[in-house]
């Protein structure tokens, strides 16, 4: 596998499918469909759908009928960013170098665009049921995503994050916020794909271990980039965590130990894939890239 | 059927089930679970779950395994009210005589409580699949609710409503907003139940007609109550539509013609049920009550 080509192809596939599935911007009410598309096509890395597709590949299951499901993961991620950026939450004006949704469309429309993306994600998740997927496995995969996007993951992380503002956290508390806020949806992207293939418990446990370590490596790197990243490449100002007095990995451990910890999680993620053939090479490449990214 | 007893029993059943299914308020993060429960148990009439259960009864299908699905409809309704009340939307301080969610818990937590209720609704909608429901019919019912809560209904209505603020509307435009904003979820409550019973096209068309007329009668009465209702029984101030210069049925047609129109929709809803046996008596009673309510 030429991994850069693989990732580029997946990215194109997902972007095409998102463009195909989302309502066109000229349809009424235009402001809603424009706001949905604006945030979805603001330059996301599509990490969650790529992880989903790479997991199907690792388990040697054809992905075609599950593409809408992959796209749903990106919509859930996008809705969470729109709501997260709102004045009542993080109050961010910029995201990926562009005005945030509420800056562009107004606060009410931004809230509704988020609601619409979350709802539409479920529209996409039921689609494979019409294309020959096992309906019982599909329901189980939907439940997995629902848990991780909701009360066993993302929303809990967001609530804890708001609650923690300007408080001093220890490493355990910081990890708990991140594993819920971002880790859970990475895990859902990988685990829902595994559920659809009906893999055994052993394989599921290994993939879950990969997912957890992936999430931690991702988040530690996020915190590091906020200290040493390039504002131009990041599409947002650097140093915002420190300005907001946020507890981060570098603030708790220092920069060097944070880097070492991120690397350790990459090694552990790779270790979880030991029993897999080279069909898991895309998953291996993805976690290696996570700590070597620039945005 | 003693209809008052029937409705009382259904209300109790739904409230018990909601209490049983929602995470307990003492679980961490408490503020999230408290905010979810606060709005769900603020005295709703449970019209949508009751319509769902009454439709199953009309089609003589046992309801027991579908109770979580019925509750999900109430959660979707509740999430929409929380977001609708936000400062960026209707900016309401009171709902059913109590402080609105953002007044009680803060704006960020209110947005998240709404997000959590919408997400948890899907957790409840997949449950019947584990209790013996047909998984393919269940997926079709979930899709129906998703459409009506999203891009073919509620969210579109909300977007149109924000857009229409302080504009003069004609009757068609007003009807379009309401049929999306409130009518669609009533329709989903009835149609999703019908989908689960696998009824024929003819029956589905009749029930859809009932649902549309139910929704219109409901909304016209809502507008009338904002003019002549009792603030104590309504749990909110009277005359707020006029104060906000909102176009309503009474503002377009006057009070008497509005009342006559509501009554006409009730008659049409009843007509749609003509071919049904007395198993549809609860549906008949529900639409009659819609124009004779005090809140």
């Amino acid at each position: 596998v030429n991994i850069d080509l693989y990732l580029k192809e997946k990215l194109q596939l997902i972007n095409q499918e998102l463009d195909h599935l989302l309502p066109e911007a000229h349809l009424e009410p235009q402001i809603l469909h424009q706001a949905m598309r604006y945030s979805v096509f603001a330059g996301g890395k599509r990490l969650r759908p790529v992880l989903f597709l790479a997991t199907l590949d690792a388990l040697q299951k054809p992905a075609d009928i599950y593409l809408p499901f992959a796209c749903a993961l990106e919509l859930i991620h996008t809705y969470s960013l729109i709501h997260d950026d709102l004045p009542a939450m993080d109050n961010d004006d910029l995201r990926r170098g562009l005005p945030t949704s509420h800056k562009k469309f107004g606060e009410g429309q931004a809230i509704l665009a988020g609601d619409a993306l979350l709802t539409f994600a479920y529209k996409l998740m039921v689609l494979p049921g019409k294309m020959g997927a096992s309906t019982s496995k599909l329901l189980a995969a939907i439940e997995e995503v629902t848990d991780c996007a909701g009360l066993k993951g993302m929303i809990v992380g967001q609530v804890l994050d708001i609650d923690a503002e300007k408080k001093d956290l220890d490493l355990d508390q910081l990890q708990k916020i991140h594993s819920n806020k971002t880790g859970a949806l990475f895990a859902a992207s990988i685990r829902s794909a595994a559920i659809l293939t009906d893999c055994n418990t052993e394989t599921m446990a290994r993939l879950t271990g990969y997912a957890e370590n992936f999430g931690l490596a991702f988040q530690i790197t996020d915190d590091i980039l906020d200290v040493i990243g390039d504002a131009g490449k990041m599409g947002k100002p650097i140093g915002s965590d420190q300005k907001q007095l946020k507890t981060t990995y570098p603030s708790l451990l220092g920069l060097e130990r944070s880097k070492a910890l991120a690397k350790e999680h990459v090694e552990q993620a790779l270790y979880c894939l030991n029993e897999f053939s080279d069909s898991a090479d895309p998953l291996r490449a993805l976690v290696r890239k996570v700590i070597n990214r620039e945005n």
Side-chain angles (χ1 to χ4, degrees), chain A:
Chain A
V1 193
N2 177 331
I3 197 67
D4 284 321
L5 190 63
Y6 175 95
L7 294 176
K8 201 177 150 192
E9 280 176 3
K10 295 296 177 202
L11 189 72
Q12 276 179 352
L13 194 64
I14 292 156
N15 283 334
Q16 272 171 20
E17 188 76 4
L18 281 167
D19 187 36
H20 171 67
L21 291 167
L22 281 166
E24 292 180 40
H26 67 83
L27 295 173
E28 294 293 340
Q30 290 185 12
I31 190 170
L32 174 62
H33 301 129
Q34 282 168 5
M36 290 171 76
R37 283 180 168 264
Y38 176 79
S39 294
V40 170
F41 294 109
K45 295 182 287 290
R46 315 302 187 208
L47 257 182
R48 291 149 196 86
V50 172
L51 282 169
F52 175 91
L53 296 177
T55 304
L56 289 179
D57 279 342
L59 299 169
Q60 294 165 324
K61 174 103 176 174
D64 44 347
I65 62 169
Y66 298 110
L67 265 178
F69 200 105
C71 291
L73 297 163
E74 187 68 15
L75 300 193
I76 292 174
H77 174 56
T78 308
Y79 119 78
S80 78
L81 298 181
I82 295 176
H83 282 192
D84 200 17
D85 286 337
L86 288 167
M89 311 263 213
D90 283 358
N91 195 19
D92 279 319
D93 294 349
L94 281 178
R95 159 84 58 189
R96 294 166 182 154
L98 295 170
T100 46
S101 184
H102 62 274
K103 281 282 158 188
K104 177 99 177 167
F105 299 98
E107 217 178 310
Q109 298 292 359
I111 294 168
L112 290 169
D115 293 347
L117 287 168
L118 172 58
T119 308
F120 198 63
Y122 284 92
K123 174 83 176 174
L124 300 190
M125 283 192 278
V126 306
L127 280 188
K130 297 178 182 176
M131 299 188 279
S134 149
T135 51
S136 60
K137 283 184 211 162
L138 188 57
L139 281 168
I142 292 173
E143 186 176 16
E144 173 69 21
V145 173
T146 300
D147 282 340
C148 291
L151 295 185
K152 293 183 182 171
M154 206 170 71
I155 293 175
V156 166
Q158 188 64 20
V159 168
L160 294 175
D161 198 25
I162 292 186
D163 212 39
E165 256 168 43
K166 284 163 200 169
K167 277 185 204 163
D168 283 325
L169 305 177
D170 62 27
L171 197 60
D172 275 356
Q173 293 167 315
L174 182 69
Q175 208 126 312
K176 191 177 170 192
I177 292 175
H178 288 316
S179 70
N180 279 290
K181 195 174 163 179
T182 52
L185 197 58
F186 285 134
S189 305
I190 292 157
R191 288 171 49 88
S192 62
I195 288 169
L196 291 167
T197 69
D198 213 10
C199 72
N200 63 36
T201 320
E202 173 70 24
T203 303
M204 181 62 94
R206 290 178 195 279
L207 286 169
T208 303
Y210 167 87
E212 282 167 1
N213 284 290
F214 182 99
L216 288 165
F218 180 90
Q219 187 57 48
I220 298 166
T221 307
D222 236 34
D223 285 0
I224 293 171
L225 285 171
D226 191 67
V227 182
I228 63 167
D230 178 316
K233 285 173 184 158
M234 301 277 288
K236 61 180 179 186
I238 296 303
S240 66
D241 289 340
Q242 209 186 346
K243 215 184 291 171
Q244 292 173 43
L245 305 175
K246 272 200 173 181
T247 307
T248 65
Y249 286 94
S251 79
L252 281 180
L253 302 176
L255 209 48
E256 290 315 307
R257 275 184 64 204
S258 299
K259 284 183 186 174
L261 186 61
K263 212 159 168 258
E264 207 176 288
H265 284 299
V266 173
E267 294 308 320
Q268 289 199 15
L270 291 170
Y271 177 78
C272 292
L273 300 180
N274 259 352
E275 303 287 315
F276 288 74
S277 72
D278 56 8
S279 68
D281 279 355
L283 285 180
R284 293 188 180 98
L286 280 164
V287 73
R288 283 199 195 96
K289 273 180 179 285
V290 147
I291 57 168
N292 293 319
R293 62 203 166 100
E294 293 182 314
N295 63 47

